[in-house]
Every structure is written in C-alpha cells, then in structure tokens.
Amino acid sequence: MQMKSLAFGIALLTSVSVGPALAGAQAAPVKARTTLESRTTWPAGSVEAASILAWVKARSPGHAPITSGGDISIVRRQIEPQPLTRTSSGPTVELPVSGRQGEAITITTRQADGSIETWAHTGIDSGWMLVEYHFKRGFSPESMN
C-alpha cells in the first residue's frame, strides 16, 4: 500500500511541477519579424539613377532634386525583405510604391563638386512620407532648401 501511495505522490508531484512548463510551451507563439538594411549605389548618369530621382521627385513635395548627374545610393530598411528589381522594360530600378510601418528608404546623391542631397522617407499605409531632407552645395555648410 505504501508503494502505491509513493507512486501516486511522485506522479502528482511530476504533474504539478511539469504542468506549468507544458502550459507555457502551448502559449501563443511569439511573432518574430525580420528587418534587413541594405545599401546599393548606382553611378552618375546611369539609367537607374534617373529612375531613382524620378521616384524621389514624385514622393518629395517641395523638395524635388536640385542636382543631377551624381552617384546615387539607397539605404533601405525593410520588414520581410523584398529585393530591388529592374523593370521588365529596361534597366530602371523599381522602388516600392508604398511601404509598411517601420520601413524606410534614404536616398543620397553625391556630386563631384562635393554637393550632397539626401531624402529620408518612412513607410505609411498609403505610400511613403518624406521625414527628412538635407542639401549641402559644394563644400559649404549644410542648408535646407
């Protein structure tokens, strides 16, 4: 009789101590998300550079590109990353029409004379919102235009 009660006591103790661990293992899964930051640069005068500046012009009211012809770099932070793709009609770069909350695209042009122009956009449900703009002509101090 003592052996049965000992076995019952061990089984009860095991279910009490292991039960919460098993219940925790069955809790709602944690939603993980992947964020990727990439940098791509295109040379001055390339078809890709022209299509990127067209994208900027369409999404940067009041801050259309002042300079052209410089090297262009894109820093893109994506959630559930999608690669930049070329359009089927040619070598232009297809940037996304809209972004997701937490995504960002920063585009910078660098001219041979030292001029730098930068646009930073953040993704919103209906597209992209310009959140930062900088322009520095030549080797002068930075200015907002």
Side-chain angles (χ1 to χ4, degrees), residues 121-134:
H121 294 82
T122 191
I124 56 175
D125 292 335
S126 60
W128 293 95
M129 179 175 28
L130 180 67
V131 294
E132 193 173 341
Y133 172 77
H134 296 278

Side-chain angles (χ1 to χ4, degrees), residues 16-41:
V16 169
S17 64
V18 174
L22 291 176
Q26 295 174 355
V30 175
K31 289 189 177 184
R33 74 179 195 189
T34 301
T35 301
L36 173 71
E37 189 169 291
S38 61
R39 175 183 294 271
T40 310
T41 302

Side-chain angles (χ1 to χ4, degrees), residues 58-141:
R59 287 160 185 83
S60 305
H63 297 290
I66 294 172
T67 61
S68 63
D71 290 345
I72 294 185
S73 64
I74 296 177
V75 176
R76 187 172 176 196
R77 186 179 66 228
Q78 302 174 76
I79 307 210
E80 298 176 20
Q82 300 293 319
L84 289 175
T85 58
R86 293 182 184 274
T87 61
S88 58
S89 62
T92 59
V93 176
E94 192 172 305
L95 290 169
V97 173
S98 64
R100 295 184 185 154
Q101 186 97 21
E103 292 185 326
I105 294 179
T106 302
I107 298 172
T108 302
T109 64
R110 296 178 190 283
Q111 307 297 317
D113 71 353
S115 295
I116 299 173
E117 196 168 9
T118 301
W119 302 264
H121 294 82
T122 191
I124 56 175
D125 292 335
S126 60
W128 293 95
M129 179 175 28
L130 180 67
V131 294
E132 193 173 341
Y133 172 77
H134 296 278
F135 175 71
K136 181 180 86 67
R137 184 171 305 279
F139 296 102
S140 66

